[in-house]
Amino acid sequence: MSELDPEDAKIITLARSTRARAGSAEGAAVRDETGRTYAAATVELPSLRLTALQVAVAMAVSSGAESLEAAAVVTEDDAPDVAAVRDLAAKAPVLVAGLDGTVRTVLTD
């Protein structure tokens, strides 16, 4: 994969650090239409289970975001659920990275 845009590298770094800090299975970050970023980790409670991407999108929406420019998820999963991202941005790239931050794929739909 070619060199990442600095803003995309930033959301991968945020996703990695959030995952590590929380000690969770996944970390994610999204960038909204104004350039603001939101980072989150997986939530696993007895009554609530959310992927890191779902939490990051919810944080963006609750802060007033109307669309997303990009998203990143750090996970061991080869096919993460990107439905929450698609609710706000049908074609925004979702960078799927391994635990070391290496981008494995970019989902665009």
Side-chain angles (χ1 to χ4, degrees), residues 16 22 45 61 76 78 82 104 108:
R16 285 186 73 209
L45 300 171
V61 170
E76 293 181 317
D78 288 330
V82 298
R104 295 192 316 255
T108 55

Side-chain angles (χ1 to χ4, degrees), residues 19-43:
R19 180 196 161 276
R21 184 173 48 255
S24 67
E26 294 181 339
V30 299
R31 184 174 60 247
D32 73 11
E33 75 276 9
T34 67
R36 292 178 295 187
T37 56
Y38 307 87
T42 307
V43 172

Side-chain angles (χ1 to χ4, degrees), residues 12-96:
I12 291 171
T13 299
L14 288 169
R16 285 186 73 209
S17 63
T18 300
R19 180 196 161 276
R21 184 173 48 255
S24 67
E26 294 181 339
V30 299
R31 184 174 60 247
D32 73 11
E33 75 276 9
T34 67
R36 292 178 295 187
T37 56
Y38 307 87
T42 307
V43 172
E44 292 187 20
L45 300 171
S47 65
L48 179 65
R49 294 191 184 281
L50 298 170
T51 68
L53 271 174
Q54 289 171 330
V55 178
V57 170
M59 291 171 63
V61 170
S62 69
S63 295
E66 295 181 7
S67 68
L68 299 176
E69 290 182 353
V73 60
V74 173
T75 181
E76 293 181 317
D77 188 349
D78 288 330
D81 182 359
V82 298
V85 173
R86 295 295 168 243
D87 286 344
L88 288 185
K91 298 287 185 182
V94 179
L95 304 134
V96 180

